[in-house]
Amino acid sequence: MITVAIIGFGNVGKHLYEAFSISENCEVVAVFSRNQARFQNLTEIPIVPKLDELPEAAVTIIAVADDAIAEVSETLPERNGLVVHTSGNTPIKAIADTHRRGVFYPLQSFSKRPVIFKEIPICLEAEQKDDYEVLASLASKLSDRVFNIDSTTRAQLHLAAVFANNFVNHLYQVSEKLLSKNDLDFSLLQPLIFETAQRLSEMSPSEAQTGPAIRGDEKTIKKQLHLLEGTAFQSLYQQLTESIAQTHGKKL
Amino acid sequence: MITVAIIGFGNVGKHLYEAFSISENCEVVAVFSRNQARFQNLTEIPIVPKLDELPEAAVTIIAVADDAIAEVSETLPERNGLVVHTSGNTPIKAIADTHRRGVFYPLQSFSKRPVIFKEIPICLEAEQKDDYEVLASLASKLSDRVFNIDSTTRAQLHLAAVFANNFVNHLYQVSEKLLSKNDLDFSLLQPLIFETAQRLSEMSPSEAQTGPAIRGDEKTIKKQLHLLEGTAFQSLYQQLTESIAQTHGKKL
């Protein structure tokens, strides 16, 4: 049995709580949340309102905003167990060195939607071999994809995720804005968006690339730049087009 | 029974052929392909090697590259039925005016992967009301989502699709390159990519946007720009970040 305490009950904290709660040989001893009142009716969750009331656990998971990790870890009284954060973008050393520290980074974007934890890569880091073993054992209760990844590599991985998630989502928003200017509904693009994402299970993005930039089709590019005249997205179109051409060794 | 002839047997032509073949009250009378030899063993497909051998059909679908539509339509002898193209980016008038012309644009990216035609928006255009009725009747045999969209609006729709497909796929390729520089496998990002696309069935991209740009988190942005130093993707990061900030009314 591995015991877990969770600090923070936002999307990451909640999903971890739920996943651990249904895992075998694993027990969430308590959750700390500043918004205790919001959760007081959910009696099955052992919520504590003060950090120094958090019971001991083999692993204490700090699931708060990146820029609050250092402060929370400093406020947290010394503990017998490991203290880890869940951030892709934050070095292990952001946790105060009064703790045996580690990282437990599930590579997924958590919202209120359910997730399939078994498929989510969990990227671990610890300073001691024994501590790593504990984290690996805990992570394997949630996911089949557990990796040992240091802080430097994790920052690069997180950056790649920014392109594949934040930036991709922004392009969806650009599409939505172009459509709504023409009284068209965003749902028109859903099968296309879905196919573009799913295709990657069968081919690499490099193989999947299509469009005017990779064909060197300057006529289409010119026409589309013209359609974007006066919008904020013309220079974005230009830059993405140049980046595609450059990546595929085309000259435009 | 609506009869169909298809010109071109690339990904679009093939998917249309297959979809019509299994639809009721619909018959593909012939397919024209320049590469007839490649398909000659597929005896169930009525392939013809010359445009003037193409039998009459209620609807003749030109499913060739955008810049070949005009020439193919000029070479095609006059016909009793309608002649349509399948391009998002090409006006109806690209088809020679010797024909009763129209557009039959399925809004999807076709590869060798199977598709679910029922969900794919099919955008139609015709110059005569009667012709539109024929196209609408044909399209409704494939899909539940049939729309009347003129050439101007279709060009805008196609441009939105470029952002949601070509440009998104390029961002996936950027992610792949960042990962491979760090000996990390692209499959690490698959659950994230999938979630980012699927989420849009429940919330708009505007609501789904996360990340440093929308938080106004300049520290993280600086750090990530630094990680990209010396790569071709630093300016792309900058431009996308600025575009997110601008779209959400943030100043960086």
Side-chain angles (χ1 to χ4, degrees), chain A residues 89 109 113 145 165-166 169-170 173 175 187 190 196 199-200 202 205 209-210 223 235 239 243 248, chain B residues 89 109 113 145 160 165-166 169-170 173 175 187 190 196 199-200 202 205 209 223 235 239 243 248:
Chain A
N89 193 37
S109 169
R113 287 167 45 80
R145 302 174 72 184
N165 170 256
N166 296 342
N169 188 77
H170 179 57
Q173 196 183 359
S175 301
S187 68
Q190 261 162 359
T196 303
R199 185 171 291 179
L200 300 177
E202 291 177 24
Q209 193 66 46
T210 60
K223 192 170 144 190
S235 61
Q239 181 116 20
S243 185
H248 291 270
Chain B
N89 193 37
S109 168
R113 286 167 45 82
R145 305 175 70 184
N165 169 257
N166 296 342
N169 188 77
H170 180 57
Q173 196 182 358
S175 301
S187 68
Q190 262 162 359
T196 303
R199 185 171 292 180
L200 299 178
E202 292 177 22
Q209 194 66 47
K223 193 172 143 187
S235 61
Q239 182 116 20
S243 185
H248 291 269

Side-chain angles (χ1 to χ4, degrees), chain B residues 195-227:
Chain B
E195 169 66 17
T196 303
Q198 262 191 315
R199 185 171 292 180
L200 299 178
S201 57
E202 292 177 22
M203 59 184 103
S204 75
S206 176
E207 292 166 311
Q209 194 66 47
T210 59
I214 200 172
R215 287 198 309 271
D217 176 354
E218 294 186 44
K219 205 175 124 194
T220 298
I221 292 168
K222 234 178 179 168
K223 193 172 143 187
Q224 298 196 319
L225 280 170
H226 179 71
L227 288 177

